[in-house]
Structure formats: structure tokens, C-alpha cells
Amino acid sequence: QVQLVESGGGLVQAGGSLRLSCAASGLTPRRYTLSWFRQSPGNEREFVAAVRRNGGHTYYADSVKGRFTVSRDNTKNTLYLEMIGLQHEDTSVYYCAASGTEILSSISNAGSYAYWGQGTQVTVSS
């Protein structure tokens, strides 16, 4: 059974930082593109960041470039999202997801992902 379990969310002041983790089990992470998405009430789930199987290529939404860093440790079956300079607009539930695709145009599409975590809440106070 595939499980993705996020942790590290919480309440932080604007300008602060958080580090999210996603522990994967039941699959071989190095065979998957691993990504972060987020969703706030009333909005669609949006792409945040992705890292390809070998960890050598990363991709970011324009809204988080320069502030967020995605990384993975395949030896620990864990995905990370380092977030600095958090803004009120970053408030959301953050989800990690795994996809077998490496097609660049599909990486930012939530429909390309077969496996999802339960999400972790990030709240940024202004």
C-alpha cells in the first residue's frame, strides 16, 4: 500500500520559514517524479514544485521561485520543501504527490499524479 505522509506544517509569521517533509512508503521513490501542490479553500489545487527521479532537475511555480527549494533523499524515501520568506498568500494545505511521468508539460498537472498525501496545513500570519 502506497503512503505519502507530510509533516512540518504550522503557523508562522510573514517573512518566516518552514520545512515540509514527505515520507514515502509502499513505492520506490527513485522511480517517480515527486512534487508539492497546495490548495486553499475555494481554489483549485495548484502546482508548487517538483523534482525529477534522480533529483537533478527541479521545477517551480513562478509564485515561489527564489523562496522555496524542493529536494529529495531517495535513501530516506523522503521529499522536502524548504520555504523562506513566507507570505500570507502561501497559506494553504500542502500536499506531496508522486507521478510516474517525467514529461515536462505534465509535471505541473495534478491529474498526472497517482499518489497523494493527506496534506499539511501552512498558515502565514500577516
Side-chain angles (χ1 to χ4, degrees):
Q1 182 180 359
V2 175
Q3 277 196 313
L4 301 175
V5 181
E6 302 95 337
S7 61
L11 174 64
V12 63
Q13 289 187 333
S17 61
L18 282 174
R19 187 193 197 202
L20 305 184
S21 299
C22 173
S25 61
L27 53 75
T28 305
R30 66 178 181 271
R31 296 179 180 174
Y32 293 85
T33 293
L34 298 178
S35 298
W36 291 97
F37 286 77
R38 64 187 183 186
Q39 188 170 23
S40 54
N43 294 313
E44 293 186 355
R45 192 164 296 190
E46 65 170 345
F47 172 75
V48 175
V51 55
R52 280 190 169 176
R53 296 173 185 175
N54 63 4
H57 292 84
T58 57
Y59 307 91
Y60 297 92
D62 288 342
S63 59
V64 306
K65 279 181 183 176
R67 300 188 298 121
F68 290 11
T69 302
V70 62
S71 62
R72 63 192 291 165
D73 186 338
N74 287 341
T75 65
K76 296 182 179 180
N77 293 350
T78 303
L79 174 71
Y80 303 99
L81 185 68
E82 192 80 37
M83 305 185 292
I84 65 172
L86 283 163
Q87 305 165 358
H88 180 68
E89 293 73 26
D90 296 316
T91 295
S92 196
V93 177
Y94 284 71
Y95 299 89
C96 67
S99 171
T101 188
E102 289 228 301
I103 300 173
L104 185 58
S105 60
S106 298
I107 286 175
S108 61
N109 183 353
S112 301
Y113 290 78
Y115 303 110
W116 292 87
Q118 83 290 346
T120 186
Q121 176 71 47
V122 171
T123 303
V124 184
S125 62
S126 54

